[in-house]
Amino acid sequence: MLLLNRSVKLRLGASLGLCIAMVIVIGLFALWGLSTGNQKMRGTYDRNVVTMEDLGRVSNLLLRNRVLTLQAQRDKNVETLGQLHQVLAENDAEADEAWADYYPERVDSDAEKQLATQFQTALSSLRADLDEQYEAMMRGDFQRAQEISSARLNSGYTRVLDTINQVVELNRQQAGTAYVSSTADYERARALTLGAIALAIVIGVGLSIWLTRGIMTPLGKARALADALAEGKLGNDINITCKDEFGDMLRSLQTMEERFSSVVLTVRRNAESVDLAANEIAQGTDDLSRRTQEQAASLEQTAASMDEITSTVRQNAENALAADRLVNDLSQQASSGGEVAQKAVEAMGASTLPVGKSLASWG
């Protein structure tokens, strides 16, 4: 039993083998019953039916000879006696053949053997009387033949036929006993067959329940585990009680679940790390954006200042240009005034030298 629990193959093989064995046993019971009934029926036919048929032939042949003899007595025709003797001899030979088919092969009991012996004795006496009667008729002494018939043949035929009837009745009783025994054997075989069928049904139902539980229980656990995994539930507790191929399958599924859980946990930790890194990157991005915005504001301020500086420089340049133009104008005016003054000085020098000297000194 422990070995069967370790292998589904062995359980299925043993169950199918047991079912086949039960079918064979039931078939053997049925064959035994049929064989027993057939043997008893054959025995009844061989020992009783054929015996009664043979004894019936003997009885009919004896009665036929009796009728032919009575006809010869009535006809009183010596010329036909030769033909009568031939017919009687043929009937006696056929009767002896039927009797030899019965005796002694199909004699079963001492009582039947005793009756058979009585019949043979009575038949021998009857045939002796018939021979004596036939000889009297051949001599034409039909009166003597009538006396033999009345005195001895009537009683002789009665003894012979009564003995045959007793043997037939005995065989009929044997046939009845065989029928009762065959009926009892049939009822016993039927009871054994029905009992074997009922036992086979009980065993078959038990095997079906055993196999169904042994197969469906681990399959149900495997299905529950698969459903739980499909719903994302990990860490399922599987109660593995079987030690066969289904147990190996459940243990493999449990190992797969453990490894799957480990992979999921690893992926989860990696996802958390990625999420943390993404948060840090997002924070860095926000800080960079803030700084970029600050830099942009500073650049805008710088650009505004540069615009102001540029405007100031431009204005200063324009002022410088204007001043330069003014200086040039003043320079030109000064040059012109210098020339004028020079000319004036020269003019004045030409007129008064001392004044020209003082002017030159002042100048």
Side-chain angles (χ1 to χ4, degrees), residues 95-229:
D96 290 340
E97 181 182 356
W99 179 260
D101 186 56
Y102 157 68
Y103 185 85
E105 182 179 356
R106 289 198 297 274
V107 176
D108 293 333
S109 63
D110 294 336
E112 188 174 1
K113 185 176 182 181
Q114 183 178 359
L115 288 174
T117 303
Q118 291 177 5
F119 170 79
Q120 287 179 324
T121 301
L123 182 62
S124 298
S125 176
L126 176 64
R127 285 180 175 177
D129 292 337
L130 285 172
D131 290 339
E132 184 178 352
Q133 182 190 40
Y134 178 76
E135 290 175 358
M137 286 189 296
M138 287 294 294
R139 294 192 305 268
D141 190 357
F142 290 97
Q143 180 66 31
R144 176 60 181 166
Q146 182 65 35
E147 291 176 356
I148 295 173
S149 177
S150 300
R152 289 180 288 179
L153 290 180
N154 290 337
S155 60
Y157 272 109
T158 300
R159 285 194 302 271
V160 169
L161 294 176
D162 286 345
T163 305
I164 289 179
N165 290 332
Q166 290 179 17
V167 177
V168 170
E169 178 62 22
L170 182 61
N171 279 272
R172 189 191 66 77
Q173 293 176 359
Q174 291 176 353
T177 303
Y179 170 75
V180 173
S181 177
S182 178
T183 302
D185 290 340
Y186 162 74
E187 292 177 353
R188 182 167 56 254
R190 183 182 63 180
L192 289 175
T193 304
L194 292 176
I197 292 174
L199 180 61
I201 292 174
V202 172
I203 294 176
V205 172
L207 287 175
S208 299
I209 296 174
W210 180 51
L211 290 176
T212 301
R213 291 183 60 184
I215 294 174
M216 296 308 298
T217 299
L219 286 181
K221 293 179 180 180
R223 180 179 180 181
L225 176 61
D227 292 338
L229 291 176

Side-chain angles (χ1 to χ4, degrees), residues 301-316:
Q301 292 178 358
T302 302
S305 299
M306 291 296 294
D307 290 338
E308 292 179 358
I309 292 172
T310 301
S311 177
T312 303
V313 170
R314 185 181 298 113
Q315 186 175 3
N316 290 334

Side-chain angles (χ1 to χ4, degrees), residues 273-318:
S273 299
V274 171
D275 183 65
L276 179 61
N279 291 330
E280 292 178 353
I281 292 173
Q283 292 177 358
T285 303
D286 292 339
D287 185 57
L288 179 62
S289 177
R290 182 178 55 79
R291 293 180 180 180
T292 302
Q293 290 177 356
E294 291 178 354
Q295 291 293 330
S298 298
L299 289 176
E300 289 179 356
Q301 292 178 358
T302 302
S305 299
M306 291 296 294
D307 290 338
E308 292 179 358
I309 292 172
T310 301
S311 177
T312 303
V313 170
R314 185 181 298 113
Q315 186 175 3
N316 290 334
E318 292 177 355

